[in-house]
């Protein structure tokens, strides 16, 4: 099975790139900023980063959509994986460093009051790859500290009271800035998508403070590797 990881931050992707000795394929997506990493010895694996702008990794839904669309068109993957860090909630058992398999994906900051059809469209509530739960159960049986929860995506690092209300209503337990955008594009192309996320900060403790995220970024990104390796080896 041809697998394509969509990852926003170089720090999130670095352990995977290093382990599989992936090399950057120069200008593959030119003029788009997204970057392709491959190794001919592992032909079924591609890692695609969103690229950079203003000396920072490109984050958010727009970059995720462009990158996912380009990756699907050029690489023709059979499974897309949105992998990276996320916020969690201590009140729901979230722990910094714990890896999660996504059980679903929604948007929490796209509000259309007074129109149920557009409201439903805005939230999204995308179904993820049907093998996600089976993989989660297998990992649990093998002793991995892994969870299975819904990913809620927004375009800001911090959340408003309205955002939090949508997250609570929809059962979101993990917050990121790309997951549902990747799932949206995959739904258009009918390509299966799954999510592998690791908690880097607790939203109900740090209140959107980016420093705790930055302090934990490199350490928790290494926690993703073992689960991502398991996903790859199963296909």
């Amino acid at each position: 099975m041809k697998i394509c990881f969509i990852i926003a931050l170089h720090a999130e992707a670095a352990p995977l790139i290093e382990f599989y000795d992936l090399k950057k394929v120069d200008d593959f997506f030119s003029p788009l900023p997204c970057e392709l990493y491959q190794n001919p010895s592992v032909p079924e694996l591609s890692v695609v980063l969103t690229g950079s702008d203003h000396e920072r990794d490109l984050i958010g839904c727009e970059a995720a959509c462009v990158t996912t669309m380009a990756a699907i068109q050029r690489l023709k993957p059979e499974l897309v994986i949105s992998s990276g860090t996320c916020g969690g909630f201590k009140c729901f058992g979230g722990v910094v460093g714990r890896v999660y398999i996504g059980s679903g994906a929604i948007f929490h900051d796209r509000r259309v009051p007074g129109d149920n059809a557009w409201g439903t469209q805005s939230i999204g509530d995308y179904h993820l790859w049907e093998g996600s739960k089976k993989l989660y159960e297998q990992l649990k049986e093998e002793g991995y500290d892994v969870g299975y929860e819904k990913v809620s995506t927004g375009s800001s690092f911090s959340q408003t009271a309205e955002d939090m209300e949508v997250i609570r209503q929809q059962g979101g337990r993990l917050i990121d800035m790309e997951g549902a955008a990747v799932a949206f594009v995959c739904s258009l192309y009918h390509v299966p998508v799954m999510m592998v996320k690791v908690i880097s900060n607790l939203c109900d403790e740090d209140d959107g403070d980016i420093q705790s995220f930055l302090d934990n970024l490199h350490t928790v990104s290494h926690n993703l590797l073992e689960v991502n390796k398991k996903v790859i080896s199963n296909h």
Side-chain angles (χ1 to χ4, degrees):
M1 177 182 282
K2 294 175 64 177
I3 300 173
C4 178
F5 283 82
I6 305 293
I7 303 176
L9 306 183
H10 282 76
E12 295 169 334
L16 193 63
I17 290 172
E18 180 178 354
F19 182 84
Y20 287 99
D21 195 25
L22 307 179
K23 305 299 182 185
K24 184 178 179 181
V25 182
D26 290 331
D27 301 320
F28 184 83
F29 290 110
S30 182
L32 300 177
C34 33
E35 303 170 2
L36 172 64
Y37 291 80
Q38 291 181 325
N39 179 344
S41 299
V42 196
E44 73 278 9
L45 174 63
S46 296
V47 173
V48 180
L49 276 65
T50 52
S52 60
D53 184 38
H54 289 79
E55 301 182 348
R56 290 290 185 272
D57 296 316
L58 278 165
I59 59 175
C61 297
E62 295 84 357
C65 281
V66 169
T67 301
T68 305
M69 186 171 181
I72 290 174
Q73 290 179 337
R74 294 291 306 274
L75 300 170
K76 303 294 191 292
E78 296 168 273
L79 176 65
V80 170
I81 302 172
S82 173
S83 185
T85 55
C86 66
F89 295 92
K90 186 176 182 180
C91 65
F92 295 126
V95 177
V96 171
R98 179 174 293 155
V99 179
Y100 287 78
I101 303 298
S103 62
I106 62 167
F107 289 103
H108 58 250
D109 61 354
R110 306 196 303 179
R111 294 177 289 277
V112 186
D115 190 297
N116 289 336
W118 267 331
T120 299
Q121 178 197 113
S122 297
I123 290 172
D125 202 9
Y126 301 102
H127 295 290
L128 303 185
W129 176 54
E130 60 184 13
S132 296
K133 188 172 184 180
K134 182 178 180 180
L135 176 61
Y136 157 72
E137 292 171 345
Q138 179 181 340
L139 290 167
K140 288 288 287 185
E141 288 178 2
E142 295 178 9
Y144 287 87
D145 182 17
V146 63
Y148 183 67
E149 298 287 0
K150 182 178 286 188
V151 178
S152 187
T153 299
S155 294
S156 298
F157 188 80
S158 60
Q159 287 74 50
T160 67
E162 291 86 351
D163 294 339
M164 293 304 301
E165 183 60 27
V166 173
I167 292 168
R168 283 191 290 267
Q169 289 178 354
Q170 299 297 322
R173 297 293 181 264
L174 308 170
I175 296 178
D176 78 346
M177 296 179 67
E178 292 87 21
V182 174
F184 164 66
V185 176
C186 287
S187 73
L188 299 180
Y189 283 92
H190 305 289
V191 176
V193 58
M194 73 174 297
M195 298 187 184
V196 184
K197 303 289 180 176
V198 62
I199 292 181
S200 56
N201 56 291
L202 296 171
C203 301
D204 48 357
E205 281 199 340
D206 56 38
D207 195 27
D209 177 17
I210 197 171
Q211 192 57 50
S212 61
F213 162 75
L214 295 173
D215 289 343
N216 296 325
L217 175 58
H218 291 277
T219 300
V220 302
S221 292
H222 282 274
N223 293 12
L224 282 173
L225 179 60
E226 291 305 313
V227 174
N228 282 333
K229 284 164 52 180
K230 194 69 178 179
V231 173
I232 294 166
S233 66
N234 278 6
H235 301 91

